[in-house]
Structure formats: C-alpha cells, structure tokens
Amino acid sequence: MRGIYQKFKKAIEDGLLYILTNGFFTQVIAFLSSTIIIRYLPKLEYGNYVNANNLYSYFTVFVGMGFATAVLQFCSESRSQKEKNDIYCFTLIEGTIFNIVLCLIIIILSVFKWGDSAKVGQYLLMMSCLPLFSYFSSYFQVVLRIKSLNREYSFTGMINAVAVFAINILLSRIFGVVSLIISQYAGSIISMVISILYLKKTGNYDISFATARRLDTGDKRSLESYALLGAITNFTSNILVLIDITCLGMISSDPQLLAGYKVASVIPSAMLFISSSMVLYYYPKLVHLYYENLEVFLAELKAIRIMFVIINGVIAFGLFVFAPIIIALLFGNQYKESVGIFRLLCLNYFIFSSYRKLYGNIIALIKKVKVNFVNTALAGILNIVLNFFFINKYGAMGAAVATICVSIFTTAFSIIYFHMFLKKFKSSI
C-alpha cells in the first residue's frame, strides 16, 4: 500500500492534481448550473429537454469521427515533430468535414422529431451545430495534454466551466432550458480560443498546414480505423444511461419519469470525471511504457487499478449511504422516488469507473479497438433486451438494474480478453 501511495503522490506532483481539479471544478459548476434550472423548471419542460439532449448525445460520441482520441494515441507515441504535424492537420480537416455532415443529420432528425413534439424538435435543432464547436474545443485540449501542459489544460477547462455557469445564471430566468444550449456553444468557443492562446504563449503551437504533407494511404486507414472504432468504444461510457432513457421513453410516454431517472443519473455520471481524469493523465505514459518495457507497464497498471478501486469505492459508498439526503437537498422532495435508482447507479458507477473504464482504454492502447467495438455492440444489444424486460417488470428501477448487468458483462469481457492477449503476447516473445 505504501508503494501505491508513493505512486499516487508522485502523480499528483507531476500534474495529476491539475487534471483532477479541472474535472472536479468542471463537474461541480456544470452540476450547480443544471441544478438551479431543474429546481424551478416544470418537470414537463425539463423532460422535453432531456428527451432532445438524449437524442443529441447519441451523436456527440461521433463528433470529429473520434479523431481527438486518435491524436492522443498516435501523437503520444515516439514520432518526429513533422509526422505529428501531418497527423494534426489531417485529423483537423477530416474531423471538420465529418462534423458538417453530422450537423446536417441532426437537423434532419430535428425536423422529423418536430412532428412528434415541437419542443423536442426545437431544442434538437438548436443543438445541431454544436458538433463543430465541441470538436475544436476537445481537440485543442487534447493537444495541451499531449504536450504535458497539465496546468494550462486544467485552467482551460475551469474557464470553460465558469463561462457556462455564468451564462446559465444570467439567461436561465429569461430563456429557461434554452440557456443550457446557449452555454454549450459559448463554453466550447471560449475553451477553443483559450487553448490555442496557451499553446502559442508556451511556444507549443506547432501545427502548420503550410508544411504538412499528405499521409500515405496506409497511415490514413490506420488513423481512420482507430478513430472510428475508438469513437464507438467511447460510446460505452454514455450508452447505458442513454439507452435506459430511450427505452423508458418508448415504454412510458410520461416526461416526468424521464426527468426522475435523469436526476438519479446526474451525480453518478458526473463522478466519472475521476477515472476519466486519471486515465487522461496516465494514458501517454502507459503508451510509452507498453512499447518500451512490458514488465514496468504491467506494474504501473496494477498500481493504477488499485488506486481506482480505493478511490471509487469510497465515493460510491458515501453516495449510497447518503442518497436520501443528497436527492432531497439538491433536487427537492419532488424527486424522492429517485433515491432507489440513484443507489443502483452508484453501484454501477463503482463497477464502471474502477474496472471497465480502465481496461477499455488499455485495450485501445494496445490498438485492439475492434475488440472494444465488439464489446460495445454486444453491450448495446444486451442493454436493450434487458431494459425492455426489467422496465416492464420494475419500471424506472428496472432500467438501473439492466445498466448494472451490462456493466458487469462489459467489464468481464474486457478483463478476460486483456489477460488472454497478454498470455499470448508473452509466449510470442
């Protein structure tokens, strides 16, 4: 345990604290912002927004075709600056083109949805151009992380969060839930601008289209394959709650039921920033270790896994015990029926954050993204089947039970595959 503590302490000193602080600050601000609106908005209006945002969220994972994730992998490897510049330019251009197509698809969907619910269609149409701005924001933040500018990465996220919060507070009384959409645009633009300014100020903005060369066909296919399959893989972190809400909406037409489940999922989903931040910090280092020294890589992975279990276990236990107080205090007594669902989703949070998040990224690190794709596809099918079975029997509580079952399945799949791969890899060297 002392060794684990020392590794964690060193990580904090090397910049993990900046990333964790950014994640915590961003989640708290976003949570406070949405909570203020949820408390005084009618359930019906918020339920319509949840419906529209849930549909939009299915597309967010494909923003930029996953090239931001691919850049983190490929530009963390040992490459010349010229090679990295070629990758930066290619992914920026290709990702932007893909986003334009994505925006058009969302616009078409909003038109069809307008016929079922004018409010849902209206909100979805307003979100249609978000992919363009959110891609640039996430892309340049990833570049900050690649260049180990942890402090700048953290400050950029904090500035973004403050801007979103301020806009929601100022406009929510006038525009209601629409302010949530407006703030997303403003936050993405501000984050993008600040990131670029930081890169230029530190002399790290070395992306040049003038000197970029076209990538070979093989390099393009490698990047595109990794990016697209990686995007589908990342969908796992969102798909469980998204499918839950979709199935609830199909089985029950009551927007209040959707609002209740969404409220129960807010905190467990928000707490994912901890494992996401730690993965983001360790990922470049693990990429390097995997290609340089397998034994050190495995030792580092074991230490990280233990840290994940301890940290997420303490958090999940605390949330579970104080669930009634948390729901009543933050969302009001009108959501007291969400306590049971909240507790189940806290258990799911522990499973997903402690194991699934880590091993999913490790499989991506060894470039077996097709395995993650298969895992995700199976998880999606299983989740839909279990949702319809459990929701019909237990209502909204059944959706949470289905989510836990799927998390256990995907976690077991990832761990078993990784150890099989490791055994085969060791025998070949």
Side-chain angles (χ1 to χ4, degrees), residues 375-427:
N375 194 6
T376 302
L378 292 175
I381 295 170
L382 181 62
N383 202 19
I384 293 171
V385 172
L386 292 179
N387 263 311
F388 277 97
F389 175 75
F390 285 120
I391 290 173
N392 279 316
K393 292 192 67 174
Y394 306 112
M397 187 77 76
V401 173
T403 296
I404 293 174
C405 292
V406 174
S407 283
I408 293 172
F409 168 80
T410 56
T411 298
F413 186 103
S414 297
I415 293 175
I416 291 171
Y417 176 81
F418 176 70
H419 285 288
M420 289 174 59
F421 167 83
L422 199 59
K423 184 178 180 180
K424 184 178 180 181
F425 182 75
K426 284 183 174 180
S427 66

Short mmCIF file of all heavy atoms in Angstrom, two decimals, residues 375-427:
data_model
loop_
_atom_site.label_atom_id
_atom_site.label_comp_id
_atom_site.label_asym_id
_atom_site.label_seq_id
_atom_site.Cartn_x
_atom_site.Cartn_y
_atom_site.Cartn_z
N ASN A 375 -17.27 -5.58 -28.05
CA ASN A 375 -17.78 -5.49 -26.68
C ASN A 375 -18.92 -4.49 -26.58
O ASN A 375 -19.96 -4.75 -25.96
CB ASN A 375 -16.63 -5.09 -25.75
CG ASN A 375 -16.96 -5.28 -24.28
OD1 ASN A 375 -18.01 -5.82 -23.93
ND2 ASN A 375 -16.07 -4.85 -23.41
N THR A 376 -18.73 -3.33 -27.21
CA THR A 376 -19.75 -2.29 -27.19
C THR A 376 -21.03 -2.73 -27.91
O THR A 376 -22.14 -2.48 -27.43
CB THR A 376 -19.21 -1.01 -27.86
OG1 THR A 376 -18.05 -0.57 -27.18
CG2 THR A 376 -20.25 0.10 -27.84
N ALA A 377 -20.86 -3.37 -29.06
CA ALA A 377 -22.03 -3.84 -29.82
C ALA A 377 -22.84 -4.85 -29.01
O ALA A 377 -24.07 -4.77 -28.94
CB ALA A 377 -21.57 -4.45 -31.14
N LEU A 378 -22.15 -5.79 -28.40
CA LEU A 378 -22.83 -6.79 -27.58
C LEU A 378 -23.51 -6.14 -26.38
O LEU A 378 -24.63 -6.51 -26.00
CB LEU A 378 -21.83 -7.85 -27.09
CG LEU A 378 -21.25 -8.78 -28.17
CD1 LEU A 378 -20.17 -9.68 -27.56
CD2 LEU A 378 -22.34 -9.62 -28.81
N ALA A 379 -22.82 -5.15 -25.79
CA ALA A 379 -23.39 -4.45 -24.64
C ALA A 379 -24.66 -3.70 -25.01
O ALA A 379 -25.64 -3.69 -24.26
CB ALA A 379 -22.36 -3.46 -24.07
N GLY A 380 -24.64 -3.06 -26.18
CA GLY A 380 -25.82 -2.33 -26.64
C GLY A 380 -27.02 -3.24 -26.83
O GLY A 380 -28.14 -2.92 -26.40
N ILE A 381 -26.79 -4.37 -27.48
CA ILE A 381 -27.88 -5.33 -27.71
C ILE A 381 -28.41 -5.86 -26.39
O ILE A 381 -29.63 -5.92 -26.16
CB ILE A 381 -27.39 -6.49 -28.61
CG1 ILE A 381 -27.02 -5.97 -30.00
CG2 ILE A 381 -28.46 -7.58 -28.71
CD1 ILE A 381 -26.31 -6.99 -30.87
N LEU A 382 -27.49 -6.26 -25.51
CA LEU A 382 -27.88 -6.80 -24.21
C LEU A 382 -28.64 -5.77 -23.39
O LEU A 382 -29.64 -6.09 -22.73
CB LEU A 382 -26.63 -7.25 -23.45
CG LEU A 382 -26.85 -7.87 -22.06
CD1 LEU A 382 -27.69 -9.14 -22.17
CD2 LEU A 382 -25.52 -8.17 -21.38
N ASN A 383 -28.20 -4.51 -23.46
CA ASN A 383 -28.85 -3.46 -22.69
C ASN A 383 -30.29 -3.23 -23.14
O ASN A 383 -31.20 -3.04 -22.32
CB ASN A 383 -28.05 -2.16 -22.81
CG ASN A 383 -28.34 -1.20 -21.68
OD1 ASN A 383 -28.85 -1.58 -20.63
ND2 ASN A 383 -28.02 0.05 -21.87
N ILE A 384 -30.51 -3.24 -24.44
CA ILE A 384 -31.85 -3.04 -24.97
C ILE A 384 -32.78 -4.18 -24.52
O ILE A 384 -33.90 -3.95 -24.04
CB ILE A 384 -31.83 -2.95 -26.51
CG1 ILE A 384 -31.12 -1.67 -26.95
CG2 ILE A 384 -33.25 -2.98 -27.08
CD1 ILE A 384 -30.86 -1.57 -28.42
N VAL A 385 -32.30 -5.42 -24.66
CA VAL A 385 -33.09 -6.59 -24.27
C VAL A 385 -33.43 -6.54 -22.78
O VAL A 385 -34.60 -6.71 -22.38
CB VAL A 385 -32.35 -7.90 -24.61
CG1 VAL A 385 -33.10 -9.10 -24.02
CG2 VAL A 385 -32.19 -8.05 -26.11
N LEU A 386 -32.41 -6.29 -21.95
CA LEU A 386 -32.63 -6.26 -20.50
C LEU A 386 -33.50 -5.08 -20.08
O LEU A 386 -34.31 -5.20 -19.15
CB LEU A 386 -31.29 -6.19 -19.77
CG LEU A 386 -30.41 -7.44 -19.86
CD1 LEU A 386 -29.09 -7.22 -19.11
CD2 LEU A 386 -31.13 -8.66 -19.31
N ASN A 387 -33.36 -3.95 -20.77
CA ASN A 387 -34.19 -2.79 -20.45
C ASN A 387 -35.67 -3.09 -20.65
O ASN A 387 -36.50 -2.82 -19.78
CB ASN A 387 -33.79 -1.59 -21.31
CG ASN A 387 -32.83 -0.66 -20.58
OD1 ASN A 387 -33.06 -0.28 -19.44
ND2 ASN A 387 -31.74 -0.31 -21.23
N PHE A 388 -36.01 -3.65 -21.78
CA PHE A 388 -37.42 -3.95 -22.05
C PHE A 388 -37.95 -4.99 -21.07
O PHE A 388 -39.11 -4.92 -20.65
CB PHE A 388 -37.61 -4.41 -23.49
CG PHE A 388 -37.72 -3.27 -24.47
CD1 PHE A 388 -36.62 -2.85 -25.19
CD2 PHE A 388 -38.92 -2.61 -24.64
CE1 PHE A 388 -36.71 -1.78 -26.07
CE2 PHE A 388 -39.02 -1.54 -25.51
CZ PHE A 388 -37.91 -1.14 -26.25
N PHE A 389 -37.11 -5.93 -20.68
CA PHE A 389 -37.55 -6.96 -19.74
C PHE A 389 -37.75 -6.38 -18.34
O PHE A 389 -38.81 -6.53 -17.72
CB PHE A 389 -36.52 -8.09 -19.69
CG PHE A 389 -36.83 -9.14 -18.66
CD1 PHE A 389 -37.83 -10.07 -18.87
CD2 PHE A 389 -36.13 -9.17 -17.46
CE1 PHE A 389 -38.13 -11.04 -17.92
CE2 PHE A 389 -36.41 -10.13 -16.50
CZ PHE A 389 -37.42 -11.06 -16.72
N PHE A 390 -36.72 -5.66 -17.83
CA PHE A 390 -36.77 -5.16 -16.46
C PHE A 390 -37.68 -3.94 -16.30
O PHE A 390 -38.32 -3.78 -15.26
CB PHE A 390 -35.36 -4.83 -15.97
CG PHE A 390 -34.53 -6.02 -15.62
CD1 PHE A 390 -33.33 -6.27 -16.28
CD2 PHE A 390 -34.93 -6.92 -14.64
CE1 PHE A 390 -32.56 -7.38 -15.97
CE2 PHE A 390 -34.16 -8.03 -14.32
CZ PHE A 390 -32.99 -8.27 -14.99
N ILE A 391 -37.73 -3.06 -17.32
CA ILE A 391 -38.59 -1.87 -17.21
C ILE A 391 -40.06 -2.28 -17.15
O ILE A 391 -40.85 -1.71 -16.39
CB ILE A 391 -38.34 -0.91 -18.39
CG1 ILE A 391 -36.96 -0.25 -18.25
CG2 ILE A 391 -39.41 0.20 -18.43
CD1 ILE A 391 -36.54 0.60 -19.43
N ASN A 392 -40.43 -3.28 -17.95
CA ASN A 392 -41.82 -3.75 -17.92
C ASN A 392 -42.19 -4.34 -16.56
O ASN A 392 -43.34 -4.31 -16.15
CB ASN A 392 -42.04 -4.80 -19.01
CG ASN A 392 -42.28 -4.16 -20.37
OD1 ASN A 392 -43.02 -3.19 -20.49
ND2 ASN A 392 -41.63 -4.68 -21.40
N LYS A 393 -41.20 -4.89 -15.85
CA LYS A 393 -41.46 -5.51 -14.55
C LYS A 393 -41.31 -4.54 -13.39
O LYS A 393 -42.11 -4.55 -12.44
CB LYS A 393 -40.52 -6.70 -14.33
CG LYS A 393 -40.77 -7.89 -15.25
CD LYS A 393 -40.02 -9.12 -14.79
CE LYS A 393 -40.56 -9.63 -13.46
NZ LYS A 393 -39.93 -10.92 -13.07
N TYR A 394 -40.27 -3.66 -13.45
CA TYR A 394 -39.95 -2.83 -12.30
C TYR A 394 -39.95 -1.32 -12.59
O TYR A 394 -39.56 -0.53 -11.72
CB TYR A 394 -38.57 -3.22 -11.75
CG TYR A 394 -38.43 -4.68 -11.43
CD1 TYR A 394 -37.58 -5.50 -12.19
CD2 TYR A 394 -39.15 -5.26 -10.39
CE1 TYR A 394 -37.46 -6.85 -11.90
CE2 TYR A 394 -39.04 -6.62 -10.11
CZ TYR A 394 -38.18 -7.41 -10.86
OH TYR A 394 -38.06 -8.75 -10.59
N GLY A 395 -40.36 -0.93 -13.79
CA GLY A 395 -40.39 0.49 -14.10
C GLY A 395 -39.00 1.08 -14.25
O GLY A 395 -38.07 0.41 -14.71
N ALA A 396 -38.83 2.34 -13.80
CA ALA A 396 -37.54 3.02 -13.95
C ALA A 396 -36.43 2.31 -13.18
O ALA A 396 -35.27 2.34 -13.59
CB ALA A 396 -37.67 4.47 -13.47
N MET A 397 -36.77 1.67 -12.08
CA MET A 397 -35.79 0.92 -11.32
C MET A 397 -35.19 -0.20 -12.16
O MET A 397 -34.00 -0.53 -12.06
CB MET A 397 -36.43 0.32 -10.07
CG MET A 397 -35.47 -0.34 -9.10
SD MET A 397 -34.54 0.84 -8.10
CE MET A 397 -35.82 1.30 -6.93
N GLY A 398 -36.01 -0.78 -13.04
CA GLY A 398 -35.54 -1.86 -13.91
C GLY A 398 -34.47 -1.40 -14.87
O GLY A 398 -33.57 -2.18 -15.23
N ALA A 399 -34.54 -0.14 -15.30
CA ALA A 399 -33.53 0.40 -16.21
C ALA A 399 -32.17 0.42 -15.53
O ALA A 399 -31.14 0.14 -16.15
CB ALA A 399 -33.93 1.79 -16.67
N ALA A 400 -32.15 0.77 -14.25
CA ALA A 400 -30.89 0.80 -13.50
C ALA A 400 -30.33 -0.61 -13.31
O ALA A 400 -29.11 -0.82 -13.39
CB ALA A 400 -31.11 1.47 -12.15
N VAL A 401 -31.21 -1.58 -13.06
CA VAL A 401 -30.78 -2.98 -12.92
C VAL A 401 -30.14 -3.46 -14.22
O VAL A 401 -29.09 -4.12 -14.21
CB VAL A 401 -31.97 -3.88 -12.54
CG1 VAL A 401 -31.55 -5.36 -12.55
CG2 VAL A 401 -32.52 -3.51 -11.17
N ALA A 402 -30.76 -3.12 -15.34
CA ALA A 402 -30.22 -3.50 -16.65
C ALA A 402 -28.83 -2.91 -16.86
O ALA A 402 -27.92 -3.57 -17.37
CB ALA A 402 -31.16 -3.05 -17.76
N THR A 403 -28.65 -1.66 -16.44
CA THR A 403 -27.36 -0.99 -16.58
C THR A 403 -26.26 -1.70 -15.80
O THR A 403 -25.15 -1.89 -16.30
CB THR A 403 -27.48 0.47 -16.10
OG1 THR A 403 -28.39 1.17 -16.94
CG2 THR A 403 -26.13 1.17 -16.14
N ILE A 404 -26.55 -2.11 -14.58
CA ILE A 404 -25.57 -2.82 -13.76
C ILE A 404 -25.19 -4.15 -14.41
O ILE A 404 -24.01 -4.51 -14.48
CB ILE A 404 -26.13 -3.07 -12.34
CG1 ILE A 404 -26.29 -1.75 -11.61
CG2 ILE A 404 -25.21 -4.00 -11.56
CD1 ILE A 404 -26.95 -1.88 -10.26
N CYS A 405 -26.19 -4.88 -14.91
CA CYS A 405 -25.92 -6.17 -15.56
C CYS A 405 -24.99 -6.00 -16.75
O CYS A 405 -24.06 -6.79 -16.95
CB CYS A 405 -27.24 -6.83 -16.00
SG CYS A 405 -28.30 -7.36 -14.64
N VAL A 406 -25.23 -4.97 -17.54
CA VAL A 406 -24.41 -4.73 -18.73
C VAL A 406 -23.00 -4.30 -18.34
O VAL A 406 -22.02 -4.70 -18.97
CB VAL A 406 -25.07 -3.68 -19.64
CG1 VAL A 406 -24.15 -3.32 -20.80
CG2 VAL A 406 -26.41 -4.19 -20.16
N SER A 407 -22.86 -3.50 -17.29
CA SER A 407 -21.53 -3.08 -16.83
C SER A 407 -20.70 -4.29 -16.38
O SER A 407 -19.50 -4.37 -16.66
CB SER A 407 -21.66 -2.09 -15.67
OG SER A 407 -22.00 -0.81 -16.14
N ILE A 408 -21.35 -5.21 -15.69
CA ILE A 408 -20.65 -6.43 -15.25
C ILE A 408 -20.20 -7.23 -16.46
O ILE A 408 -19.06 -7.73 -16.52
CB ILE A 408 -21.57 -7.28 -14.35
CG1 ILE A 408 -21.82 -6.55 -13.03
CG2 ILE A 408 -20.93 -8.65 -14.08
CD1 ILE A 408 -22.86 -7.21 -12.15
N PHE A 409 -21.08 -7.34 -17.46
CA PHE A 409 -20.74 -8.10 -18.68
C PHE A 409 -19.56 -7.48 -19.42
O PHE A 409 -18.60 -8.16 -19.78
CB PHE A 409 -21.96 -8.17 -19.60
CG PHE A 409 -21.63 -8.67 -20.99
CD1 PHE A 409 -21.50 -10.03 -21.21
CD2 PHE A 409 -21.45 -7.79 -22.03
CE1 PHE A 409 -21.18 -10.51 -22.49
CE2 PHE A 409 -21.13 -8.24 -23.31
CZ PHE A 409 -21.00 -9.61 -23.53
N THR A 410 -19.62 -6.16 -19.67
CA THR A 410 -18.56 -5.50 -20.44
C THR A 410 -17.23 -5.50 -19.68
O THR A 410 -16.17 -5.60 -20.29
CB THR A 410 -18.95 -4.05 -20.78
OG1 THR A 410 -19.26 -3.34 -19.58
CG2 THR A 410 -20.15 -4.01 -21.71
N THR A 411 -17.30 -5.37 -18.36
CA THR A 411 -16.09 -5.41 -17.54
C THR A 411 -15.42 -6.77 -17.63
O THR A 411 -14.20 -6.87 -17.84
CB THR A 411 -16.42 -5.07 -16.08
OG1 THR A 411 -16.95 -3.75 -16.00
CG2 THR A 411 -15.17 -5.17 -15.21
N ALA A 412 -16.22 -7.82 -17.46
CA ALA A 412 -15.68 -9.18 -17.53
C ALA A 412 -15.08 -9.46 -18.90
O ALA A 412 -14.00 -10.05 -19.02
CB ALA A 412 -16.78 -10.20 -17.22
N PHE A 413 -15.76 -9.02 -19.95
CA PHE A 413 -15.30 -9.20 -21.32
C PHE A 413 -13.92 -8.56 -21.51
O PHE A 413 -12.99 -9.17 -22.04
CB PHE A 413 -16.32 -8.57 -22.29
CG PHE A 413 -16.03 -8.83 -23.74
CD1 PHE A 413 -16.75 -9.77 -24.45
CD2 PHE A 413 -15.05 -8.10 -24.41
CE1 PHE A 413 -16.51 -10.00 -25.79
CE2 PHE A 413 -14.78 -8.33 -25.76
CZ PHE A 413 -15.51 -9.29 -26.45
N SER A 414 -13.77 -7.31 -21.06
CA SER A 414 -12.52 -6.57 -21.24
C SER A 414 -11.36 -7.21 -20.47
O SER A 414 -10.26 -7.36 -21.00
CB SER A 414 -12.70 -5.12 -20.77
OG SER A 414 -13.66 -4.45 -21.54
N ILE A 415 -11.63 -7.57 -19.22
CA ILE A 415 -10.56 -8.14 -18.39
C ILE A 415 -10.11 -9.49 -18.93
O ILE A 415 -8.91 -9.77 -19.03
CB ILE A 415 -11.04 -8.28 -16.92
CG1 ILE A 415 -11.24 -6.89 -16.31
CG2 ILE A 415 -10.01 -9.06 -16.10
CD1 ILE A 415 -11.82 -6.91 -14.90
N ILE A 416 -11.08 -10.34 -19.28
CA ILE A 416 -10.75 -11.67 -19.80
C ILE A 416 -9.95 -11.56 -21.09
O ILE A 416 -8.94 -12.25 -21.28
CB ILE A 416 -12.02 -12.51 -20.02
CG1 ILE A 416 -12.65 -12.87 -18.66
CG2 ILE A 416 -11.71 -13.79 -20.81
CD1 ILE A 416 -14.03 -13.50 -18.78
N TYR A 417 -10.39 -10.66 -22.00
CA TYR A 417 -9.66 -10.51 -23.26
C TYR A 417 -8.24 -10.02 -23.03
O TYR A 417 -7.29 -10.53 -23.64
CB TYR A 417 -10.37 -9.56 -24.22
CG TYR A 417 -9.54 -9.35 -25.47
CD1 TYR A 417 -9.56 -10.29 -26.50
CD2 TYR A 417 -8.67 -8.27 -25.58
CE1 TYR A 417 -8.75 -10.15 -27.61
CE2 TYR A 417 -7.85 -8.11 -26.69
CZ TYR A 417 -7.90 -9.07 -27.71
OH TYR A 417 -7.08 -8.92 -28.79
N PHE A 418 -8.08 -9.03 -22.17
CA PHE A 418 -6.74 -8.47 -21.95
C PHE A 418 -5.78 -9.53 -21.43
O PHE A 418 -4.63 -9.62 -21.87
CB PHE A 418 -6.81 -7.29 -20.98
CG PHE A 418 -5.46 -6.73 -20.64
CD1 PHE A 418 -4.72 -6.03 -21.59
CD2 PHE A 418 -4.91 -6.91 -19.38
CE1 PHE A 418 -3.46 -5.52 -21.29
CE2 PHE A 418 -3.66 -6.40 -19.07
CZ PHE A 418 -2.93 -5.70 -20.02
N HIS A 419 -6.23 -10.35 -20.49
CA HIS A 419 -5.35 -11.38 -19.94
C HIS A 419 -5.06 -12.48 -20.97
O HIS A 419 -3.96 -13.04 -20.98
CB HIS A 419 -5.96 -11.96 -18.67
CG HIS A 419 -5.85 -11.04 -17.48
ND1 HIS A 419 -4.66 -10.78 -16.85
CD2 HIS A 419 -6.78 -10.28 -16.85
CE1 HIS A 419 -4.86 -9.92 -15.86
NE2 HIS A 419 -6.13 -9.60 -15.84
N MET A 420 -6.01 -12.78 -21.83
CA MET A 420 -5.76 -13.73 -22.92
C MET A 420 -4.72 -13.17 -23.89
O MET A 420 -3.81 -13.87 -24.33
CB MET A 420 -7.07 -14.05 -23.66
CG MET A 420 -8.04 -14.91 -22.86
SD MET A 420 -9.63 -15.10 -23.72
CE MET A 420 -9.11 -15.87 -25.25
N PHE A 421 -4.87 -11.88 -24.22
CA PHE A 421 -3.92 -11.22 -25.12
C PHE A 421 -2.53 -11.20 -24.50
O PHE A 421 -1.53 -11.47 -25.17
CB PHE A 421 -4.38 -9.79 -25.41
CG PHE A 421 -3.33 -8.94 -26.07
CD1 PHE A 421 -3.14 -9.00 -27.44
CD2 PHE A 421 -2.52 -8.09 -25.31
CE1 PHE A 421 -2.15 -8.23 -28.06
CE2 PHE A 421 -1.54 -7.32 -25.92
CZ PHE A 421 -1.36 -7.39 -27.30
N LEU A 422 -2.48 -10.89 -23.21
CA LEU A 422 -1.20 -10.79 -22.51
C LEU A 422 -0.49 -12.14 -22.49
O LEU A 422 0.73 -12.21 -22.72
CB LEU A 422 -1.45 -10.30 -21.08
CG LEU A 422 -0.25 -9.71 -20.33
CD1 LEU A 422 0.30 -8.50 -21.08
CD2 LEU A 422 -0.68 -9.33 -18.92
N LYS A 423 -1.23 -13.20 -22.24
CA LYS A 423 -0.65 -14.54 -22.21
C LYS A 423 -0.09 -14.91 -23.57
O LYS A 423 1.03 -15.44 -23.69
CB LYS A 423 -1.72 -15.55 -21.78
CG LYS A 423 -1.20 -16.96 -21.63
CD LYS A 423 -2.31 -17.90 -21.15
CE LYS A 423 -1.79 -19.33 -21.00
NZ LYS A 423 -2.87 -20.25 -20.54
N LYS A 424 -0.83 -14.60 -24.62
CA LYS A 424 -0.38 -14.91 -25.99
C LYS A 424 0.81 -14.04 -26.37
O LYS A 424 1.75 -14.52 -27.01
CB LYS A 424 -1.54 -14.68 -26.97
CG LYS A 424 -1.21 -15.05 -28.40
CD LYS A 424 -2.41 -14.84 -29.30
CE LYS A 424 -2.07 -15.20 -30.75
NZ LYS A 424 -3.23 -14.99 -31.65
N PHE A 425 0.77 -12.77 -25.96
CA PHE A 425 1.86 -11.84 -26.29
C PHE A 425 3.16 -12.27 -25.62
O PHE A 425 4.22 -12.25 -26.24
CB PHE A 425 1.47 -10.43 -25.85
CG PHE A 425 2.49 -9.39 -26.18
CD1 PHE A 425 2.64 -8.93 -27.49
CD2 PHE A 425 3.32 -8.86 -25.20
CE1 PHE A 425 3.59 -7.98 -27.81
CE2 PHE A 425 4.27 -7.90 -25.50
CZ PHE A 425 4.41 -7.46 -26.81
N LYS A 426 3.09 -12.68 -24.36
CA LYS A 426 4.29 -13.11 -23.63
C LYS A 426 4.89 -14.37 -24.21
O LYS A 426 6.11 -14.52 -24.25
CB LYS A 426 3.94 -13.32 -22.15
CG LYS A 426 3.79 -12.06 -21.35
CD LYS A 426 3.53 -12.37 -19.88
CE LYS A 426 3.51 -11.11 -19.03
NZ LYS A 426 3.26 -11.41 -17.59
N SER A 427 4.03 -15.26 -24.68
CA SER A 427 4.53 -16.52 -25.24
C SER A 427 5.20 -16.34 -26.60
O SER A 427 5.95 -17.19 -27.06
CB SER A 427 3.37 -17.51 -25.37
OG SER A 427 2.43 -17.05 -26.32
#
